[in-house]
Amino acid sequence: MAETPILEPCIPLPIAERTLIDVTEKAKDWAIMHGAAMRSKTNFSSDTLNFAPFILMPSSFPRKEFEKAKNLQTIINQLMHNVAHDEEFLTTTLAETVKVDEFTANLFNVYKKVLANGFGQPISLGLLRSDLMLETNCAELLEKEKQAPCAYCCWKQVEINTIASGFGHLGPISKDIQSFVMSELGHADKIKYMPENTALSGLCGGMIKAWEVYAQPKAVILFVIEDISYNICDQRFHEFYIREQRPDIKVLRRTLTEVHKEGKLGPNKELLLGEYEVAVIYFRAGYEPLHYHSQNEWDARYMMECSRAIKCPSIHYHLAGTKKVQQALAQPEMLERFISDPEKIKAVGQIFTGLYSLDDSEAGNASYEMALKEPERFVLKPQREGGGNNVYGADIPDALRKMSRVERAAWILMDLIQPPISKGYMIRPGGKSPPEVVDLVSELGIFGVILGDVDNVICNYQAGHMLRTKLSTANEGGVAAGLGALDSPYLLD
Ligand SMILES: Nc1ncnc2c1ncn2[C@@H]1O[C@H](COP(=O)(O)OP(=O)(O)OP(=O)(O)O)[C@@H](O)[C@H]1O
Ligand SMILES: [Mg+2]
């Protein structure tokens, strides 16, 4: 196999030891003092914060691919909006999956019940994040351009998130930490290659717009949260930004369990929590089975879905974000169902890497055989969010052999994307001092905001980005999950 291309670093490495120690210590303090932080999982206290792991300097990323990803986001927003409103597509696509995956089946039940009872609110708010990685084995580009290593890359979608798309604060703040470091190191002139990041204002702007559309001046925005929020800064900065922009909009935080206890529907399907009417529900929880301790939490989800409040996401948007739907969308001709412009179909079609069904069908059984034969080419994914659920490479055959033919329908198979490597310093709480230069790979997330009902889109825009970076040897790079680090792109022309 060809060697993995290495992207050129933004400044020469390594940095002299004394300088490196000094700048690292400053940057850690800068991070804590500006809320680039999380609660510790190993030593939890709601009274303390650790800085979030970060990459000391920005990681190189080809400008052309960055711009392409940003420019495509409104089309992806509209695509997901259309998918979410296509009952027949969601129902047929998820038919086999819901037979074997209890969690997706529970979500689908909520959807069916709401469909039967009528939606309390036709408008949905999508705060989406399209995650992507650069692919170095890009046949199309290898043919055309043989210049610098980054010219060999094109980006491919890892997945699209329609629920709890985090890092609206941690994305932009990563750029700020690294800009501080670049200045400290005497490279302030290079900050101009780090793109502006409007994620926090963009995402909060979507929530504020939805609140305005609800048009009830006393109503509040509800954040539905986990029992413990480790990623507290990211969430709180959304709340604080909304409060700063609009002191008249109150934000409440409640778990699903609390919504079940305190919530009820009013005569016009208003969601009432104590004395408050809820205009907008922003789910930062509810995307994994552990968030539903009992039927109570499912009842709370159903009550919210029936209500007049504008949901982010509503249940059909949540289902549109499943891995199974992503796999179905990547099949030839499928996009034509949702997008009419052939140019746009082509542009979106190019972002998909191979995605394969594992249903008990001819095609599904062929993908099963293919995965057993060459497992190192693939990732096996269940219908889960939040990281840590996928099976990689050599572990795939055992995992697949343990499943019945029918059970395989809960999973999809995806080509493993092979990103280029960048070199840098990963700074972690309790990490080595001075840090060492390590091999890294990055994943870019582009945020999108879309608000509207089936026929009428009120707003649709691209809303900034986030970059997560992990050691090149790690399979997954979730920052809250513990393997990834905050980062931001340094654009190479
Ligand atoms: N096809 C792929 N090729 C290479 N790496 C992948 C691929 N798919 C997923 N990964 C890695 O695994 C991680 C988790 O995968 P994915 O995003 O599909 O799961 P998730 O549980 O929905 O995660 P998230 O919490 O980011 O929403 C990705 O962030 C990426 O690092
Ligand atoms: Mg996800």
Side-chain angles (χ1 to χ4, degrees):
M1 213 160 75
E3 250 180 59
T4 310
I6 297 178
L7 295 165
E8 191 189 324
C10 60
I11 63 169
L13 299 177
I15 299 172
E17 183 168 315
R18 183 70 255 172
T19 311
L20 180 61
I21 291 172
D22 285 348
V23 78
T24 304
E25 290 309 310
K26 279 191 210 199
K28 287 188 203 176
D29 287 341
W30 196 101
I32 294 175
M33 291 170 196
H34 292 78
M38 293 193 168
R39 293 212 167 113
S40 167
K41 283 194 174 162
T42 46
N43 208 355
F44 177 81
S45 158
S46 61
D47 294 342
T48 55
L49 290 170
N50 279 349
F51 71 85
F54 63 93
I55 306 298
L56 193 60
M57 281 139 348
S59 294
S60 297
F61 201 97
R63 184 188 296 276
K64 207 170 74 190
E65 293 303 302
F66 179 78
E67 297 294 344
K68 212 166 87 186
K70 270 179 52 177
N71 293 337
L72 199 64
Q73 190 59 40
T74 53
I75 302 171
I76 293 180
N77 292 345
Q78 185 69 57
L79 168 68
M80 296 314 290
H81 189 78
N82 296 352
V83 169
H85 289 93
D86 189 331
E87 182 191 341
E88 193 205 328
F89 176 76
L90 289 180
T91 306
T92 37
T93 302
L94 293 169
E96 294 305 308
T97 309
V98 296
K99 286 184 195 159
V100 282
D101 187 85
E102 194 187 341
F103 182 64
T104 312
N106 284 333
L107 292 174
F108 198 75
N109 269 342
V110 171
Y111 175 54
K112 281 283 163 204
K113 280 194 329 194
V114 182
L115 274 173
N117 274 346
F119 284 91
Q121 172 59 259
I123 295 173
S124 298
L125 172 63
L127 299 182
L128 314 179
R129 201 186 69 215
S130 169
D131 289 343
L132 58 102
M133 277 172 149
L134 291 169
E135 169 63 272
T136 50
N137 286 329
C138 224
E140 310 110 70
L141 282 177
L142 271 170
E143 284 305 304
K144 281 194 222 142
E145 302 178 42
K146 302 216 166 185
Q147 303 154 22
C150 79
Y152 297 161
C153 306
C154 58
W155 63 268
K156 294 287 175 190
Q157 187 173 65
V158 173
E159 66 146 353
I160 177 114
N161 291 292
T162 59
I163 182 164
S165 310
F167 283 63
H169 159 69
L170 291 175
I173 206 72
S174 311
K175 179 199 170 195
D176 298 344
I177 304 172
Q178 293 176 332
S179 303
F180 169 75
V181 169
M182 293 293 271
S183 291
E184 287 293 312
L185 292 174
H187 292 286
D189 56 314
K190 295 192 167 177
I191 292 172
K192 60 176 181 283
Y193 299 109
M194 299 168 69
E196 183 194 20
N197 193 347
T198 55
L200 187 64
S201 57
L203 296 174
C204 293
M207 285 192 254
I208 293 171
K209 183 74 193 160
W211 181 89
E212 286 169 352
V213 166
Y214 190 85
Q216 186 54 254
K218 289 220 166 67
V220 302
I221 298 181
L222 168 67
F223 285 24
V224 175
I225 55 168
E226 315 104 296
D227 295 330
I228 300 175
S229 300
Y230 294 103
N231 193 5
I232 188 68
C233 295
D234 197 58
Q235 295 183 20
R236 283 287 189 205
F237 273 86
H238 284 72
E239 174 178 345
F240 299 158
Y241 182 90
I242 292 170
R243 296 291 284 159
E244 213 175 278
Q245 297 295 310
R246 293 294 300 265
D248 54 326
I249 307 178
K250 192 173 175 66
V251 172
L252 295 183
R253 289 168 61 83
R254 297 284 186 274
T255 63
L256 286 166
T257 314
E258 288 168 335
V259 172
H260 176 258
K261 259 193 225 141
E262 299 169 23
K264 60 174 193 228
L265 291 189
N268 297 311
K269 297 195 179 175
E270 311 90 324
L271 177 64
L272 303 172
L273 277 180
E275 63 188 288
Y276 299 107
E277 176 175 347
V278 177
V280 178
I281 306 173
Y282 173 51
F283 286 96
R284 286 295 292 239
Y287 55 81
E288 66 166 55
L290 288 176
H291 297 160
Y292 298 83
H293 306 302
S294 67
Q295 186 56 39
N296 290 349
E297 287 74 18
W298 284 110
D299 292 346
R301 179 77 191 260
Y302 175 61
M303 175 174 65
M304 289 188 275
E305 295 299 333
C306 291
S307 78
R308 283 190 58 203
I310 298 176
K311 271 79 64 184
C312 174
S314 43
I315 189 72
H316 40 305
Y317 254 89
H318 189 169
L319 290 171
T322 52
K323 309 281 192 284
K324 183 66 201 173
V325 166
Q326 184 194 5
Q327 179 264 313
L329 281 176
Q331 302 316 300
E333 275 95 64
M334 196 51 94
L335 290 173
E336 289 166 20
R337 183 178 177 122
F338 302 104
I339 306 177
S340 49
D341 179 346
E343 285 299 310
K344 290 181 181 172
I345 294 178
K346 192 167 154 221
V348 175
Q350 279 174 353
I351 71 176
F352 295 126
T353 186
L355 283 146
Y356 314 93
S357 161
L358 287 167
D359 292 0
D360 187 11
S361 63
E362 201 179 314
N365 292 327
S367 353
Y368 170 76
E369 294 299 335
M370 182 170 76
L372 292 187
K373 218 161 136 199
E374 289 185 280
E376 65 288 346
R377 280 183 45 209
F378 301 107
V379 187
L380 181 64
K381 296 189 179 187
Q383 310 306 308
R384 290 290 175 278
E385 293 299 329
N389 303 298
N390 300 341
V391 180
Y392 294 84
D395 295 334
I396 292 177
D398 267 0
L400 279 179
R401 287 199 186 100
K402 282 192 195 130
M403 298 174 203
S404 70
R405 269 171 182 256
V406 180
E407 280 166 350
R408 283 183 227 145
W411 298 73
I412 61 151
L413 190 70
M414 183 173 184
D415 284 345
L416 186 71
I417 302 169
Q418 299 185 0
I421 286 174
S422 55
K423 296 200 178 269
Y425 298 100
M426 185 184 275
I427 315 298
R428 313 188 65 87
K432 244 197 204 165
S433 177
E436 286 166 5
V437 176
V438 283
D439 284 356
L440 301 165
V441 296
S442 299
E443 185 175 355
L444 181 70
I446 306 283
F447 291 105
V449 176
I450 184 161
L451 177 71
D453 63 21
V454 62
D455 303 312
N456 181 21
V457 168
I458 300 166
C459 60
N460 174 9
Y461 55 92
Q462 178 270 124
H465 58 273
M466 51 86 89
L467 193 74
R468 284 181 290 187
T469 294
K470 62 185 179 183
L471 293 179
S472 64
T473 47
N475 282 329
E476 297 202 11
V479 178
L483 286 166
L486 307 182
D487 199 355
S488 77
Y490 181 84
L491 298 183
L492 297 178
D493 287 304

